[in-house]
Amino acid sequence: MFRLNGPRVEAFSGVDAQLFELLVKGEVEEYRARVHADRHTRPRLAWDKKWGGPVSVHADGSVLAIRLLPGQRPAQN
């Protein structure tokens, strides 16, 4: 959690669980092969209703999501 131009927000970052397991096992070449094969299904940027904010999935399988904490109002410019 942190402040973004005033309002408090929550952020999440991670990586696809299957891709992460490959990295944990040290199977870097298999990780690269899968990322390359799936690159057309990523990147994607969408508003996730369940999360309550934007979610970005990058071509390498990494994910970044951000949302306002309950009770916060967007910053006024």
Side-chain angles (χ1 to χ4, degrees):
M1 292 183 274
F2 59 95
R3 291 194 181 273
L4 184 63
N5 293 329
R8 290 177 27 170
V9 297
E10 179 178 17
F12 167 83
S13 64
V15 68
D16 179 276
Q18 292 176 346
L19 294 175
F20 182 74
E21 283 299 317
L22 291 173
L23 293 174
V24 167
K25 295 176 187 175
E27 298 178 14
V28 177
E29 290 305 317
E30 180 63 21
Y31 166 84
R32 288 179 181 154
R34 287 197 192 172
V35 166
H36 181 75
D38 294 341
R39 71 188 184 284
H40 297 296
T41 61
R42 303 180 194 111
R44 148 179 133 237
L45 177 60
W47 187 271
D48 188 291
K49 290 180 184 177
K50 188 174 179 180
W51 167 255
V55 176
S56 175
V57 181
H58 296 264
D60 64 359
S62 62
V63 178
L64 176 62
I66 191 168
R67 66 181 172 188
L68 286 172
L69 287 173
Q72 301 295 301
R73 293 184 181 167
Q76 300 294 318
N77 292 340

